[in-house]
């Protein structure tokens, strides 16, 4: 049972297994994976028969690796760190030096896993986490397959988690899926998207389908448009070389934003089982109309940040001044799209997507704006126009749901003002420490793929943006950089909504941090 259906404290422990992390010396393991295992252990969700085996090039033994990560994990967890929980977990953490391209090292890996099985009672169940560059996904799984570590039986299971990017275009995504399928069935592959580990994303289905007053109005008859915003206040930091190959569009939209759109727009699945949910999400992606080359010019906006001042007063350099970045780079650090669908529920409803680096706030939300009510009954009052009702799903930070609607302003005349009802997860359910990976790792251990991407979903996502990447590659931008760090993106992004008589929703950040919105 997925944590999407139950509470952390009520869920049973996962089955016995060894979690093998390729790239255990890296930043992801330190900041996210081991803290996630800590939280699962604190919640009683790791089985007695559990062990973690870290693999990397570092010449360390078990004890040296434990000492190396202990201080890092304590810093990452902060006030959530509990020494008793950590001591119970760290004793089950092992390490092995490995050359990931050397076949003989995988023979040694087989021997080490057999030892851990015997010592820890893990029953031969292996969860391989590939926290490595995508270029190693194929070679690593090939070598695991060569030594039989991906072969599963009725008595044990073998699963592999891979991190994005799942390719850089449609052709490479198909090649990656073909490579993975050489050694595994699709149900052994878990393509992880940490956004799907956030409570609000998982709650979209519950919000829609468990509340009978929303589903009847969740369609083109009542909804005017939808906005999905994934804003990042950080720059590319040390990822300049990677970002030069990716850019904002490739890095975020086929992965995070289109999956959010899928959960938001899908038809009710027959159940919360993985296959039923994936089928409905794929139907949404199939219904999205690919942009023609001509439409790309008016339905897609790209940007690159210049030097600027962040809302906290920090002065930051331009993207082109970042390490590993070409000083004349045309890479996009901002991307916005207008997408529409060819299906009965959403025909004529535009979906506006935007994402970018060095924006005014670190903020992710989905805003659903409803159509305005007719004002005919207010014709003899001071009311000229009614503000549209809106539902906002806040994904980060401060996860929650906000609803705005009209109410009479007290007084002798008829005046209508917008009021907000605001639900915060922390207020109702407490602030449970989490990295966003806990639910996903736990689900993988249980074989629940609901929150993971199917090969078809990945390829459909790339199909949707392919025309945009093709046009952008053929027509280099003339105005880069075109937005200042600390703003909300290029002015052209405002034109994307203005052409339709709409505007981007103003993100509600503290007054000291408010920056100008495009349009």
């Amino acid at each position: 049972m997925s944590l999407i259906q139950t509470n952390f404290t009520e869920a049973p422990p996962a089955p016995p297994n060894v979690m093998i992390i390729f790239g255990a010396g890296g930043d992801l393991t330190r900041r996210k994976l081991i803290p996630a295992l800590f939280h699962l252990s604190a919640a009683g969700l790791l089985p007695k028969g559990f062990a973690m085996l870290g693999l990397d090039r570092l010449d360390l033994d078990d004890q040296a690796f434990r000492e190396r990560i202990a201080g890092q994990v304590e810093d990452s967890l902060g006030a959530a760190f509990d020494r008793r929980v950590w001591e119970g977990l760290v004793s089950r953490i092992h390490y092995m030096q490995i050359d990931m391209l050397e076949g003989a090292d995988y023979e040694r890996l087989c021997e080490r896993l057999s030892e851990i099985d015997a010592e820890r009672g893990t029953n031969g169940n292996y969860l391989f986490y590939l926290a490595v560059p995508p270029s190693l996904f194929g070679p690593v799984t090939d070598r695991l397959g060569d030594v039989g570590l991906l072969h599963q039986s009725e008595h044990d299971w073998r699963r592999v988690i891979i991190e994005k990017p799942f390719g850089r275009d449609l052709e490479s995504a198909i090649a990656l899926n073909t490579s993975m399928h050489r050694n595994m069935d699709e149900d052994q592959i878990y393509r992880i998207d940490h956004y799907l580990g956030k409570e609000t994303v998982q709650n979209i289905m519950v919000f829609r389908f468990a509340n009978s007053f929303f589903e009847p109005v969740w369609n083109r008859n009542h909804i005017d448009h939808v906005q999905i915003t994934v804003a990042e206040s950080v720059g590319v930091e040390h990822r300049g070389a990677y970002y030069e190959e990716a850019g904002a569009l490739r890095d975020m939209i086929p992965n995070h934003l289109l999956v959010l759109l899928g959960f938001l727009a899908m038809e009710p699945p027959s159940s919360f089982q993985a296959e039923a949910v994936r089928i409905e999400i794929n139907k949404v992606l199939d219904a999205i109309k690919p942009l023609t080359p001509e439409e790309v010019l008016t339905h897609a906006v790209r940007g690159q940040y210049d030097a600027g001042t962040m809302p906290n007063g920090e002065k930051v350099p331009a993207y082109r001044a970042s390490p590993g970045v070409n000083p004349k780079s045309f890479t996009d650090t901002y991307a916005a799209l207008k997408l529409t669908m060819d299906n009965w529920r959403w025909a004529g409803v535009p979906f506006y997507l935007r994402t970018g680096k060095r924006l005014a706030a670190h903020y992710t939300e989905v805003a659903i704006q409803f159509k305005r009510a007719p004002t005919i009954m207010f014709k003899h009052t001071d009311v000229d126009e009614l503000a549209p009702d809106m539902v906002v799903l806040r994904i980060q930070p401060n996860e929650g749901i906000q609803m705005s609607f009209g109410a009479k302003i007290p007084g002798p005349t008829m005046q209508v003002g917008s009021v907000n009802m605001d639900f915060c997860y922390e207020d109702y359910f407490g602030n449970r420490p989490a990295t966003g990976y806990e639910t996903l790792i736990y689900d993988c251990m249980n074989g629940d793929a609901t929150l993971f991407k199917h090969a078809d979903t990945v390829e459909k996502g790339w199909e949707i943006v392919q025309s945009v990447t093709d046009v952008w590659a053929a027509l280099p931008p003339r105005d880069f950089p075109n937005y200042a760090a600390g703003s909300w993106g290029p002015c052209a992004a405002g034109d994307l909504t203005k052409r339709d008589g709409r505007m981007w929703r103003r993100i509600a950040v503290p007054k000291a941090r408010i920056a100008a919105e495009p349009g």
Side-chain angles (χ1 to χ4, degrees):
M1 178 183 292
S2 168
L3 294 187
I4 195 171
Q5 297 167 286
T6 187
N7 186 280
F8 245 17
T9 58
E10 297 172 353
N17 71 91
V18 185
M19 181 174 173
I20 303 103
I21 302 178
F22 284 84
D27 191 52
L28 178 67
T29 302
R30 173 182 61 82
R31 291 191 305 109
K32 299 294 185 181
L33 302 185
I34 294 181
L37 291 175
F38 176 93
H39 293 144
L40 289 173
S41 181
L45 296 177
L46 293 182
K48 289 184 64 176
F50 173 78
M52 191 208 96
L53 175 61
L55 305 176
D56 217 319
R57 294 182 178 181
L58 301 170
D59 185 9
L60 303 170
D61 59 15
D62 287 357
Q63 187 57 37
F65 181 71
R66 292 167 183 171
E67 292 173 357
R68 173 187 172 89
I69 63 175
Q72 297 173 337
V73 170
E74 187 171 356
D75 289 342
S76 295
L77 292 169
F81 184 80
D82 183 318
R83 187 158 299 280
R84 289 175 299 176
V85 174
W86 174 244
E87 289 174 354
L89 175 63
V90 75
S91 64
R92 296 188 277 178
I93 293 177
H94 305 272
Y95 179 81
M96 175 180 162
Q97 183 183 22
I98 188 173
D99 181 337
M100 296 180 201
L101 299 178
E102 178 54 57
D105 282 1
Y106 289 78
E107 299 285 354
R108 294 195 302 110
L109 176 59
C110 291
E111 297 172 2
R112 186 67 187 275
L113 288 173
S114 295
E115 294 170 359
I116 292 174
D117 281 337
E119 179 184 348
R120 300 292 181 181
T122 48
N123 295 353
N125 296 327
Y126 302 150
L127 167 55
F128 298 97
Y129 199 117
L130 273 54
V132 296
S135 59
L136 289 175
F137 291 166
V140 168
T141 53
D142 282 344
R143 285 157 180 75
L144 288 172
D146 289 344
V147 296
L149 283 175
L150 296 179
H151 176 74
Q152 54 186 6
S153 70
E154 58 182 322
H155 305 296
D156 54 39
W157 51 259
R158 310 290 165 86
R159 297 170 190 145
V160 175
I161 294 180
I162 63 172
E163 286 268 351
K164 78 174 183 73
F166 313 119
R168 68 180 308 275
D169 53 23
L170 179 58
E171 182 180 3
S172 59
I174 292 173
L176 175 59
N177 285 332
T178 301
S179 171
M180 301 294 285
H181 289 149
R182 280 201 302 265
N183 299 286
M184 292 174 286
D185 294 330
E186 177 62 27
D187 63 7
Q188 292 179 266
I189 305 169
Y190 288 70
R191 299 169 187 82
I192 197 166
D193 182 345
H194 68 274
Y195 267 65
L196 298 186
K198 296 182 182 300
E199 292 294 342
T200 308
V201 176
Q202 299 172 50
N203 195 43
I204 291 174
M205 286 194 291
V206 176
F207 180 72
R208 285 186 56 191
F209 303 131
N211 298 298
S212 59
F213 53 90
F214 275 114
E215 184 55 24
V217 298
W218 210 262
N219 54 58
R220 61 188 173 86
N221 296 324
H222 301 278
I223 291 177
D224 179 77
H225 72 279
V226 176
Q227 297 181 19
I228 300 177
T229 298
V230 179
E232 298 182 275
S233 57
V234 297
V236 295
E237 312 304 334
H238 59 282
R239 300 173 69 221
Y242 161 74
Y243 215 79
E244 279 288 271
E245 294 295 320
L249 179 75
R250 283 190 169 98
D251 190 43
M252 298 294 291
I253 289 182
N255 300 299
H256 303 319
L257 278 77
L258 287 182
V259 172
L260 289 177
L261 192 157
F263 276 99
L264 189 78
M266 71 179 181
E267 295 298 319
S270 59
S271 72
F272 277 138
Q273 297 302 310
E275 188 62 22
V277 173
R278 283 172 162 180
I279 286 172
E280 298 305 332
I281 288 179
N282 283 346
K283 286 180 182 177
V284 171
L285 299 184
D286 277 336
I288 294 174
K289 294 190 288 187
L291 300 179
T292 65
E294 293 75 21
E295 287 174 329
V296 171
L297 302 178
T298 56
H299 288 51
V301 173
R302 54 183 159 173
Q304 185 188 96
Y305 68 83
D306 201 352
T309 303
M310 300 302 292
N312 63 3
E314 178 189 6
K315 294 185 182 301
V316 296
Y319 169 75
R320 290 178 174 179
S322 303
V325 171
N326 183 337
K328 296 182 179 180
S329 173
F330 290 137
T331 299
D332 50 293
T333 63
Y334 179 99
L337 299 179
K338 173 189 172 183
L339 299 175
T340 56
M341 291 188 211
D342 257 340
N343 63 15
W344 187 262
R345 183 184 290 263
W346 297 111
V349 177
F351 287 74
Y352 300 101
L353 284 58
R354 60 174 171 172
T355 184
K357 295 281 190 184
R358 282 294 184 208
L359 299 182
H362 177 65
Y363 198 88
T364 301
E365 71 168 29
V366 175
I368 301 99
Q369 183 169 308
F370 290 84
K371 293 183 177 180
R372 297 178 190 271
T375 57
I376 186 169
M377 66 179 293
F378 296 94
K379 60 186 176 183
H380 299 304
T381 72
D382 293 333
V383 177
D384 294 322
E385 187 177 67
L386 296 171
D389 297 338
M390 185 174 287
V391 173
V392 178
L393 309 175
R394 287 193 310 276
I395 295 170
Q396 66 178 2
N398 190 25
E399 296 178 70
I401 300 171
Q402 175 186 324
M403 295 175 57
S404 62
F405 53 89
K408 182 182 179 299
I409 299 173
T413 61
M414 175 59 73
Q415 297 184 66
V416 179
S418 289
V419 297
N420 290 324
M421 294 180 65
D422 204 340
F423 153 69
C424 295
Y425 269 89
E426 182 176 349
D427 294 342
Y428 280 78
F429 303 117
N431 186 18
R432 175 173 54 82
T435 66
Y437 282 78
E438 290 82 1
T439 294
L440 299 169
I441 291 173
Y442 176 83
D443 281 359
C444 186
M445 290 178 178
N446 282 285
D448 185 338
T450 306
L451 299 176
F452 294 85
K453 288 188 169 185
H454 191 276
D456 292 345
T457 309
V458 170
E459 292 174 16
K460 290 178 190 296
W462 282 115
E463 285 177 9
I464 290 168
V465 302
Q466 187 73 50
S467 61
V468 181
T469 59
D470 288 347
V471 171
W472 285 3
L475 299 174
R478 298 178 180 179
D479 58 350
F480 275 13
N482 61 355
Y483 71 96
S487 70
W488 280 103
C491 292
D495 297 336
L496 193 67
T497 52
K498 272 184 178 178
R499 290 190 193 98
D500 301 331
R502 302 181 176 97
M503 64 175 57
W504 291 107
R505 194 182 98 85
R506 188 174 181 81
I507 303 298
V509 294
K511 289 183 180 180
R513 299 176 60 193
I514 289 178
E517 289 267 13

